[in-house]
Amino acid sequence: MINIKEIKAEDTYEIRLSVLRKEIDLPYKFKEDFDESTFHLGAYHNNELVGVASFIKNKMEGFEEDQYQLRGMATVLKVRGKGYGKKIINESKNILGQKNTHILWCNARKEAVSFYEELTFNIVGAVFNVDKVGEHFKMFTKI
Ligand SMILES: CC(C)(COP(=O)(O)OP(=O)(O)OC[C@H]1O[C@@H](n2cnc3c(N)ncnc32)[C@H](O)[C@@H]1OP(=O)(O)O)[C@@H](O)C(=O)NCCC(=O)NCCS
């Protein structure tokens, strides 16, 4: 059974490191991790944390509405494609809706674009490169 819960910033670190920073020498802690407005969600399989994502009150150029940035979205390899990522995003939309936030956006790795498209995100603007990680697109969804 998939269970989504709010978790602490520190609880995201292990999966961020193993999935998003594997062989990539970039920080796995974000400066906004402990901001009051930031929240982190974890996906559990039984009692095991298998997916994480963080939601940070950052603005994307071109949008004036209240908005959040999704960062550190990752699920462990053994649960991929089983709906854990989708459940995290859907739960975040419930929480953001209660905060009167109308936009959720992210810098999506090229290989994750289809995942976000499945979840109603759209690409905005041109591809851009992130040093050590590769090509990205800005994507957003309305809440
Ligand atoms: C991207 C990622 C978080 C997706 O998590 P997940 O738990 O596998 O996603 P889900 O199983 O909830 O998938 C939701 C939907 O997206 C689809 N999907 C997931 N990953 C996909 C991909 N790479 N390409 C195409 N479709 C994909 C699923 O088939 C599913 O569709 P459905 O609802 O029609 O069945 C996960 O693959 C991951 O951690 N990747 C490595 C890290 C990464 O790239 N993170 C994103 C950084 S921007």
Side-chain angles (χ1 to χ4, degrees):
M1 202 185 105
I2 305 176
N3 201 357
I4 309 296
K5 286 195 251 183
E6 275 204 45
I7 58 174
K8 292 187 288 199
E10 300 93 311
D11 298 333
T12 66
Y13 293 166
E14 193 179 322
I15 293 179
R16 276 189 195 166
L17 257 174
S18 64
V19 176
L20 294 166
R21 295 293 180 257
K22 196 164 180 256
E23 288 156 19
I24 299 176
D25 181 23
L26 282 177
Y28 63 93
K29 297 177 182 177
F30 307 141
K31 68 175 170 33
E32 304 93 339
D33 269 343
F34 294 95
D35 286 0
E36 213 179 309
S37 51
T38 296
F39 65 98
H40 309 271
L41 294 179
Y44 286 82
H45 173 74
N46 299 327
N47 285 324
E48 186 189 354
L49 183 63
V50 293
V52 297
S54 300
F55 300 86
I56 295 169
K57 203 167 184 340
N58 276 345
K59 270 201 163 186
M60 177 165 85
E61 210 175 303
F63 287 105
E64 291 312 317
E65 296 102 317
D66 273 359
Q67 55 193 267
Y68 264 70
Q69 180 184 7
L70 162 63
R71 292 197 69 189
M73 173 82 241
T75 57
V76 300
L77 201 50
K78 67 180 177 187
V79 304
R80 297 261 171 91
K82 294 192 162 83
Y84 288 84
K86 184 180 189 167
K87 280 239 171 169
I88 289 177
I89 298 297
N90 287 343
E91 178 57 20
S92 78
K93 288 183 174 179
N94 291 335
I95 295 170
L96 292 168
Q98 286 162 17
K99 293 180 188 292
N100 274 324
T101 294
H102 301 297
I103 301 271
L104 176 62
W105 66 274
C106 64
N107 293 322
R109 293 180 182 195
K110 196 178 173 187
E111 54 276 20
V113 163
S114 305
F115 164 71
Y116 291 117
E117 281 175 341
E118 280 284 334
L119 300 178
T120 73
F121 284 69
N122 290 303
I123 289 177
V124 53
V127 64
F128 62 98
N129 197 60
V130 173
D131 191 31
K132 300 180 184 171
V133 189
E135 290 184 328
H136 282 67
F137 290 90
K138 286 206 180 296
M139 297 187 79
F140 74 98
T141 185
K142 294 202 169 181
I143 295 159

